[in-house]
Amino acid sequence: MTASEALELEARKAALLNAIKHEGRADAGAVIGRLLGAHPHLRQKTADVRSLISKVLDQVNAMTPAEQQKVVEEKWPEELAKEKPKVERVLPPLPNVDKYPKVVTRFSPNPDSVLHLGNARAVILSHDYARKYDGTFILRFEDTDPRLKKAALQYYDLIREDLRWLECSWDEEYLQSDRLEAYYSYAEELIKKSAAYICECEPEDFKQLVEAGQACPCRNISPDENLARWKGILGGEYDEGEAVVRVKTDLDHPNPAVRDWPALRVIDTVKYPHPRVGGKYRVWPLYNMACGVDDHLMAISHVIRGKEHLTNMERQKYLYKHLGWQYPDAIHYGRLHVIGMDLSKSKMMRDLEEGIYKDLTDPRLGTLMALRRRGITSQALRGVVYEVGPRPVDATISWENVYAANRKIIDPIARRFFFIDGPIVLSVSGVKSSRTVKVPVHPDHADMGIREITVEAKDGKCRLLVSKGDLDILKPKAVVRLMELFNVEVKSAEADGIAGEVHSETYAEARKLNASLIHWLPERHNCKVTVLMPDAQGIVGVGEPAITACRADDVIQLVRFGFGRVDAVSQDSVTVYFAHQ
Ligand SMILES: [Zn+2]
């Protein structure tokens, strides 16, 4: 095969691969880019390359997509293998799937805040298991505490948004604050069965008795009298704190916290109105009552949650026994420690109120909103969740685990740009003429195009900007390669400016000298770039103007600085939230 035949074959391969990715039509620019990327010397013969590619493209684009696919399968099957997504990790099977007509799981947040990294595990596992078994995934808002863990209207939607971002679509949605009548009717049934009673004791007195394994005086009153008390509660005869409905358990249960647990209580909703239903109800179920009743009524087959709920399961099993229900299969996974992240919701909400954080997207936070704003992808979180899975042992992850998973996803798609943090002028002599360099938008994907940066030379000199972070490389006599431009020998280096001289042109020469590669920008015509770092500090610098063509939400890489998500763009400035290196 002659060199020109080899080149034609390569062009055909590039065209076919590009065509099968783009509905049968190869793009000339992409194919040329790929060829020039692989053979930089062809840049001197672009006219020849263009005519070759135009010929090849005519042939390739005349083929049907099926024909194109067939040729690639026969000649370059390894290229197709490269395109296939990596084998996804699988979840271990759920127990007792055959026991149920179908798998039904739920995620049941309290809308008193948004979701954070720790919640992602419950959401993703519950959703993905439902999908794995062709089941149903339910979103249930557990908003029955208007007093201490009070819901707020904005969080219902923000949580829905978090779920959508996690690609966990739900099949049914319930709000517990709409379901109070259901809890009341089961409370009444329990009371009639003498499986629950209205306790009027002072909390401290009850605690002492129950810790000693003894019944309080209310436990043994007749169902009729209890029913009368219950009607009295519903009728508003009791004030907040004057009575609770307790579900009977074994009084000698080894864990005193399980014994005769409280199921419903009175809340002064004039003082503490519920954000959705205001003062409509005064009697509110506690967590185990609402959750226990709903898991049954919604036919939940598998409850997937953290092992901090083990005691709740103990409590709820009494409810199920009293009512003759079958408790679902419960999978309690271990705790997830994230090094360097405080996942305490109450602390976060307190700090937010005190103004330590501007809002819930503050980059210091572990909320999904904050991660999203930084350009962490939900695929990365899914990868991390699958890694820890539903195992009962505690797991520890670090930010670096999240970053590594995210890097794999965004590195192939993030466009590259030069960003100079702390710009310093580098004045270079020996520059023969002005020039425009063409830099690939992505080093591995010629099809992502090129960006152009113009260097203006005047009297054999040009003025460039380099980052102050590179000052320790830019020592006198050092030769550095200005990426995609030329090699410069440093003549003098002061804190306020560096002088250098063109040493040589080619990358090969730089490699021979083992020269460091640094990025740069012309002194003028740049845009202003502010990078908000994970500690919420902003770093201000300059970037190439092409960054302003980005749109909000684009994930980009600032070369030699790190990945980030474009947050806001104006004509001459860009704000980027830093993701990771
Ligand atoms: Zn009592």
Side-chain angles (χ1 to χ4, degrees):
M1 200 188 292
T2 66
S4 77
E5 281 167 351
L7 189 66
E8 185 170 336
L9 184 65
E10 205 177 326
R12 190 176 309 281
K13 178 178 170 183
L16 281 162
L17 288 172
N18 188 263
I20 60 173
K21 258 201 271 180
H22 297 99
E23 291 158 353
R25 281 204 72 81
D27 173 67
V31 178
I32 290 170
R34 181 165 282 256
L35 235 58
L36 293 184
H39 306 283
H41 69 275
L42 291 176
R43 287 177 200 270
Q44 269 88 53
K45 301 187 205 165
T46 43
D48 294 350
V49 174
R50 268 176 210 286
S51 89
L52 167 69
I53 283 174
S54 145
K55 179 180 119 191
V56 168
L57 247 62
D58 285 346
Q59 294 164 357
V60 166
N61 286 341
M63 297 161 73
T64 66
E67 288 167 343
Q68 293 165 347
Q69 182 82 20
K70 193 160 161 256
V71 174
V72 174
E73 275 169 17
E74 280 170 7
K75 290 194 162 174
W76 305 288
E78 72 285 356
E79 294 292 337
L80 290 172
K82 268 191 221 165
E83 297 293 325
K84 274 190 197 140
K86 291 191 192 75
V87 182
E88 204 173 312
R89 288 167 197 283
V90 287
L91 294 170
L94 284 177
N96 300 320
V97 165
D98 296 340
K99 225 169 81 184
Y100 303 92
K102 72 169 166 176
V103 167
V104 183
T105 62
R106 46 80 169 170
F107 174 65
S108 39
N110 179 354
D112 63 343
S113 181
V114 294
L115 305 184
H116 58 65
L117 180 59
N119 300 123
R121 192 179 185 189
V123 184
I124 290 172
L125 290 177
S126 301
H127 169 269
D128 288 16
Y129 269 120
R131 295 291 167 260
K132 178 182 165 101
Y133 291 102
D134 218 0
T136 300
F137 174 57
I138 291 175
L139 170 62
R140 183 172 80 211
F141 288 105
E142 300 199 334
D143 54 348
T144 61
D145 186 351
R147 218 185 136 168
L148 288 176
K149 296 180 174 178
K150 188 175 181 134
L153 285 182
Q154 68 268 30
Y155 297 128
Y156 293 83
D157 262 343
L158 290 174
I159 288 173
R160 290 182 187 110
E161 193 52 44
D162 281 340
L163 258 69
R164 282 186 205 107
W165 178 68
L166 288 171
E167 295 178 68
C168 294
S169 58
W170 55 105
D171 306 301
E172 295 170 22
E173 179 181 307
Y174 300 95
L175 296 97
Q176 288 188 328
S177 52
D178 283 339
R179 301 171 55 77
L180 265 62
E181 304 295 340
Y183 312 129
Y184 293 168
S185 84
Y186 286 104
E188 192 164 317
E189 188 176 334
L190 291 164
I191 290 163
K192 283 181 181 163
K193 283 182 167 171
S194 200
Y197 58 96
I198 291 37
C199 175
E200 298 176 355
C201 298
E202 289 293 330
E204 214 25 64
D205 297 343
F206 177 83
K207 197 170 164 238
Q208 275 186 11
L209 286 167
V210 87
E211 274 175 4
Q214 288 171 16
C216 82
C218 325
R219 196 179 207 259
N220 296 319
I221 59 172
S222 69
D224 282 350
E225 196 181 334
N226 259 317
L227 209 54
R229 286 186 179 184
W230 169 243
K231 299 285 177 204
I233 289 186
L234 289 181
E237 289 169 23
Y238 290 78
D239 280 337
E240 190 176 297
E242 286 181 355
V244 290
V245 179
R246 294 190 179 279
V247 169
K248 286 187 182 173
T249 70
D250 297 309
L251 280 178
D252 56 358
H253 190 282
N255 182 357
V258 171
R259 297 174 196 165
D260 283 19
W261 50 271
L264 300 101
R265 83 300 205 191
V266 178
I267 288 179
D268 181 350
T269 42
V270 175
K271 221 159 132 192
Y272 306 105
H274 189 279
R276 289 188 64 249
V277 294
K280 188 173 172 191
Y281 304 102
R282 295 177 77 248
V283 184
W284 286 86
L286 283 130
Y287 173 76
N288 285 293
M289 178 71 185
C291 171
V293 167
D294 278 350
D295 280 347
H296 173 75
L297 294 182
M298 294 167 194
I300 304 298
S301 65
H302 293 79
V303 175
I304 302 161
R305 63 185 170 201
K307 69 179 180 191
E308 64 275 15
H309 282 287
L310 277 168
T311 305
N312 287 327
M313 177 173 73
E314 289 297 307
R315 294 187 182 110
Q316 289 174 35
K317 277 186 170 171
Y318 283 99
L319 181 76
Y320 276 65
K321 207 167 119 198
H322 293 314
L323 294 168
W325 298 342
Q326 187 70 42
Y327 196 75
D329 274 271
I331 291 101
H332 290 101
Y333 50 74
R335 276 174 227 282
L336 182 68
H337 304 285
V338 186
I339 298 170
M341 192 195 296
D342 186 357
L343 293 178
S344 154
K345 190 158 81 171
S346 49
K347 182 177 182 299
M348 176 180 84
M349 297 308 281
R350 210 169 44 237
D351 288 351
L352 187 69
E353 231 163 76
E354 286 172 12
I356 294 173
Y357 304 123
K358 197 166 135 261
D359 58 32
L360 287 163
T361 70
D362 188 293
R364 289 166 289 180
L365 292 174
T367 60
L368 299 186
M369 288 173 84
L371 296 177
R372 187 152 79 223
R373 195 159 191 191
R374 290 174 54 189
I376 308 292
T377 59
S378 64
Q379 298 98 297
L381 295 195
R382 189 169 251 103
V384 172
V385 166
Y386 272 54
E387 191 109 16
V388 289
R391 286 193 302 270
V393 291
D394 290 1
T396 301
I397 62 163
S398 66
W399 275 109
E400 204 36 63
N401 293 113
V402 176
Y403 295 162
N406 201 54
R407 198 175 294 118
K408 264 189 225 158
I409 290 157
I410 64 174
D411 183 44
I413 55 167
R415 280 178 283 164
R416 270 59 171 169
F417 297 102
F418 288 162
F419 160 67
I420 305 287
D421 148 32
I424 293 172
V425 173
L426 166 63
S427 165
V428 185
S429 58
V431 184
K432 289 185 195 110
S433 58
S434 298
R435 64 172 90 181
T436 297
V437 293
K438 294 180 177 5
V439 187
V441 169
H442 192 293
D444 306 328
H445 297 284
D447 55 335
M448 286 170 73
I450 51 151
R451 46 196 224 268
E452 296 186 341
I453 307 175
T454 299
V455 174
E456 288 164 6
K458 203 176 161 193
D459 306 329
K461 281 189 174 177
C462 69
R463 286 171 68 82
L464 306 173
L465 298 175
V466 292
S467 170
K468 68 167 187 241
D470 286 330
L471 269 179
D472 46 353
I473 299 173
L474 294 159
K475 300 277 189 222
K477 290 191 184 147
V479 177
V480 296
R481 174 154 187 82
L482 302 179
M483 296 167 91
E484 312 283 345
L485 187 58
F486 43 52
N487 309 323
V488 171
E489 182 174 347
V490 179
K491 293 296 178 190
S492 70
E494 309 293 334
D496 59 343
I498 300 164
E501 190 177 7
V502 175
H503 174 277
S504 45
E505 289 281 336
T506 65
Y507 178 53
E509 183 76 18
R511 229 173 6 192
K512 213 158 61 187
L513 294 168
N514 210 7
S516 300
L517 263 68
I518 67 169
H519 64 293
W520 54 276
L521 281 174
E523 188 181 23
R524 294 186 301 149
H525 308 302
N526 297 306
C527 68
K528 178 184 163 195
V529 178
T530 306
V531 184
L532 204 73
M533 301 304 287
D535 62 1
Q537 299 297 312
I539 293 182
V540 182
V542 295
E544 53 187 279
I547 308 183
T548 58
C550 289
R551 275 180 290 194
D553 283 339
D554 285 354
V555 173
I556 61 173
Q557 188 193 40
L558 302 173
V559 174
R560 299 180 63 232
F561 188 84
F563 292 96
R565 177 190 148 278
V566 175
D567 193 68
V569 189
S570 75
Q571 210 179 347
D572 54 4
S573 76
V574 177
T575 304
V576 176
Y577 272 54
F578 187 83
H580 46 74
Q581 287 193 328

